[in-house]
Amino acid sequence: MAAAQRIVIENGAIATVDADDTEYTNGYLVIAGNRIEALGAGKAPEGLENVVRRIDASGHLVTPGLVNTHHHFYQWITRGLATDHSLFDWLVALYPIWARIDEPMAYAAAQGSLAVMARGGVTTAMDHHYVYPKGSGDLSGAIIRAARETGVRFTLARGSMDRGEKSGGLPPDFAVETLESALAATEETVEQYHDASFDAMTQVAVAPCSPFSVSTELLCEGAALARRLGVRLHTHGSETVEEEKFCHELFGMGPTDYFESTGWLGEDVWMAHCVHMNDADIAAFARTRTGVAHCPSSNARLAAGIARVPDMLAAGVPVGLGVDGTASNESGELHTELRNALLINRLGAHREAALNARQVLRLGTYGGARVLGRSTEIGSLEPGKLADLVLWRLDTVAHASIADPVTALVFGAAAPVTASFVNGRQIVEAGRLLHVDEDEIARSTRAEAQRLARIAAG
């Protein structure tokens, strides 16, 4: 790294989220190229070469960038609809609208979703996109293009549905793919876009949507495809009591047993929600190291319930945080999920002992990296890891009277992001995105939302 350009960050509090939860009340961090070169207490070492910038982080907390483990970008243009529905009724109301999206809509919606997340401290995003109407254009390519332009690290979970209404599923029949076309398109997406390298900016996962929208064959063959290609697997699981009833009626077993029977438990798998898990389910996830994307705001919005996150963590289940789609979490922000994860889990059986501030920060950073299979690269601030990090401003009236910076970040109001770096490249400055035009994104997302509404109404 001797010849790399360096950025030196000094005078800030640092929460590394390493294995020992090392923290510095006043420390430094050196970025060299796209890696973290050094960090520690006090001032940076003297004599560093090729220092192109020094950042005074006084009044700030430096953390790893937030990692989002579950989202549906396209829903950005259907926010604020079906606001008083449970999951199944919400899906039935919105599937006919979603089935009319096209490439310009998907691109604009991805831009909106990514902009709000990045502005709020997300450095690694993912999108579970599973709606591919015939003739809608290159939706996967449009989503990936939006992520590259924003500058975030990104995983596209290439989703699919092949169980329409006539087969007992929830989506309308015109909104689903065939088994063969879904598998072929997924494999093509992996081959075209997946990067397995250490500092990859784009990765792809195989992601049939859910037990009630895909066939058993698609789950089984999707798992085999992912393992043949060496990529991860993602789907929805155990989100509602209705889903559990659906699985018992259709398959004669609960969701976790059904997933295990189709090859969908394993350290290369992560599932969204996992709200309704009994002790045996949690034990199965722990035994197989199957990951969980915890989405507290969406679970509350759809009245799905409170996931047993403290029990999962105690059992050794990998858990990260997710925004979920913005038609069930209209804010679209992951940093608010830190606070909501803590508060909502304290309404459960463990009450005030459920989660603390540092556990929640770990969920949003290292936990998410582990769920996405990237914990050796991102998720904590350690020498040699990729320079994905955030400077949170905590010296304004909203936070200045809270002595502990991690408590301020998690318990307090959503903190402003002064700077955010991905792969050593700054993408946010003083709360504004540096590489895309936020105002133009606002205009285009509104226009595409209105166009979709007109098409759906017609």
Side-chain angles (χ1 to χ4, degrees):
M1 294 198 183
Q5 290 189 332
R6 289 180 169 85
I7 299 172
V8 177
I9 301 168
E10 293 182 295
N11 305 321
I14 300 176
T16 68
V17 200
D18 64 9
D20 298 319
D21 271 331
T22 304
E23 295 180 14
Y24 305 104
T25 56
N26 188 293
Y28 72 90
L29 185 145
V30 180
I31 299 172
N34 69 344
R35 305 287 182 96
I36 297 170
E37 184 179 46
L39 73 164
K43 293 287 188 180
E46 298 290 337
L48 291 173
E49 299 179 355
N50 298 322
V51 175
V52 296
R53 187 177 176 196
R54 290 184 178 271
I55 298 174
D56 182 0
S58 299
H60 290 74
L61 173 65
V62 184
T63 73
L66 300 183
V67 179
N68 184 28
T69 61
H70 186 65
H71 211 312
H72 307 294
F73 290 175
Y74 72 89
Q75 292 181 15
W76 190 263
I77 57 174
T78 60
R79 294 191 297 165
L81 305 178
T83 55
D84 303 310
H85 291 50
S86 64
L87 175 67
F88 276 23
D89 291 340
W90 176 82
L91 288 170
V92 170
L94 293 176
Y95 269 140
I97 301 173
W98 295 336
R100 289 166 171 83
I101 64 168
D102 58 22
E103 185 175 337
M105 294 175 190
Y107 175 67
Q111 283 188 307
S113 297
L114 288 158
V116 166
M117 280 191 295
R119 201 173 61 179
V122 168
T123 56
T124 296
M126 70 80 66
D127 182 29
H128 185 192
H129 188 84
Y130 53 83
V131 183
Y132 288 88
K134 291 181 180 177
S136 56
D138 182 9
L139 303 187
S140 294
I143 295 164
I144 289 171
R145 177 161 50 96
R148 288 175 175 170
E149 291 169 352
T150 307
V152 300
R153 208 175 296 282
F154 181 59
T155 294
L156 174 68
R158 204 293 180 181
S160 51
M161 301 186 294
D162 71 336
R163 186 192 293 276
E165 288 176 317
K166 69 180 180 183
S167 302
L170 290 182
D173 292 322
F174 66 84
V176 302
E177 300 174 276
T178 65
L179 170 67
E180 295 76 17
S181 64
L183 291 169
T186 301
E187 181 166 6
E188 180 182 351
T189 303
V190 173
E191 291 176 345
Q192 183 173 359
Y193 293 112
H194 182 70
D195 180 358
S197 63
F198 182 88
D199 58 356
M201 291 295 291
T202 304
Q203 295 196 331
V204 179
V206 175
C209 183
S210 65
F212 46 84
S213 60
V214 306
S215 65
T216 300
E217 292 76 16
L218 182 52
L219 279 176
C220 291
E221 295 191 35
L225 173 65
R227 288 169 180 139
R228 174 166 62 82
L229 298 175
V231 298
R232 298 181 73 75
L233 300 87
H234 180 59
T235 191
H236 297 87
S238 300
E239 185 173 0
T240 64
V241 291
E242 290 84 3
E243 178 189 331
E244 186 171 5
K245 180 181 178 183
F246 180 95
C247 288
H248 276 288
E249 290 178 350
L250 208 61
F251 312 122
M253 63 186 91
T256 299
D257 290 337
Y258 176 60
F259 282 126
E260 187 157 32
S261 75
T262 57
W264 272 79
L265 293 186
E267 62 183 3
D268 56 353
V269 180
W270 86 101
M271 296 189 197
H273 303 297
C274 300
V275 174
H276 297 278
M277 303 267 283
N278 59 33
D279 289 347
D281 296 330
I282 292 174
F285 271 56
R287 169 175 47 83
T288 58
R289 294 294 185 262
T290 304
V292 171
H294 176 46
C295 307
S297 294
S298 177
N299 294 343
R301 156 77 148 84
L302 295 172
I306 303 172
R308 296 174 59 187
V309 173
D311 296 328
M312 294 179 193
L313 294 175
V317 176
V319 182
L321 293 182
V323 171
D324 201 11
T326 49
S328 67
N329 179 4
E330 275 75 3
S331 79
E333 297 174 311
L334 190 67
H335 60 319
T336 58
E337 298 305 290
L338 299 174
R339 187 172 192 264
N340 289 344
L342 185 144
L343 297 180
I344 289 174
N345 278 280
R346 289 189 177 188
L347 294 175
H350 296 274
R351 301 182 63 184
E352 69 276 7
L355 293 173
N356 62 42
R358 282 161 177 81
Q359 286 176 305
V360 169
L361 179 59
R362 179 171 291 275
L363 289 180
T365 54
Y366 185 86
R370 186 181 176 199
V371 163
L372 294 185
R374 305 202 67 176
S375 60
T376 62
E377 306 144 53
I378 60 173
S380 59
L381 302 179
E382 301 179 69
K385 282 200 164 185
L386 296 168
D388 293 11
L389 54 100
V390 178
L391 279 69
W392 307 92
R393 187 173 179 186
L394 299 177
D395 62 355
T396 71
V397 67
H399 302 92
S401 60
I402 303 176
D404 176 57
V406 176
T407 296
L409 178 67
V410 174
F411 278 82
V417 172
T418 292
S420 181
F421 292 84
V422 180
N423 220 38
R425 176 182 184 236
Q426 190 171 355
I427 65 167
V428 175
E429 175 75 34
R432 295 287 293 184
L433 299 171
L434 292 177
H435 307 296
V436 291
D437 185 335
E438 293 181 34
D439 296 331
E440 178 54 35
I441 291 172
R443 287 189 289 270
S444 65
T445 54
R446 182 172 181 81
E448 292 299 331
Q450 292 173 337
R451 184 166 71 89
L452 176 58
R454 289 194 299 270
I455 292 171

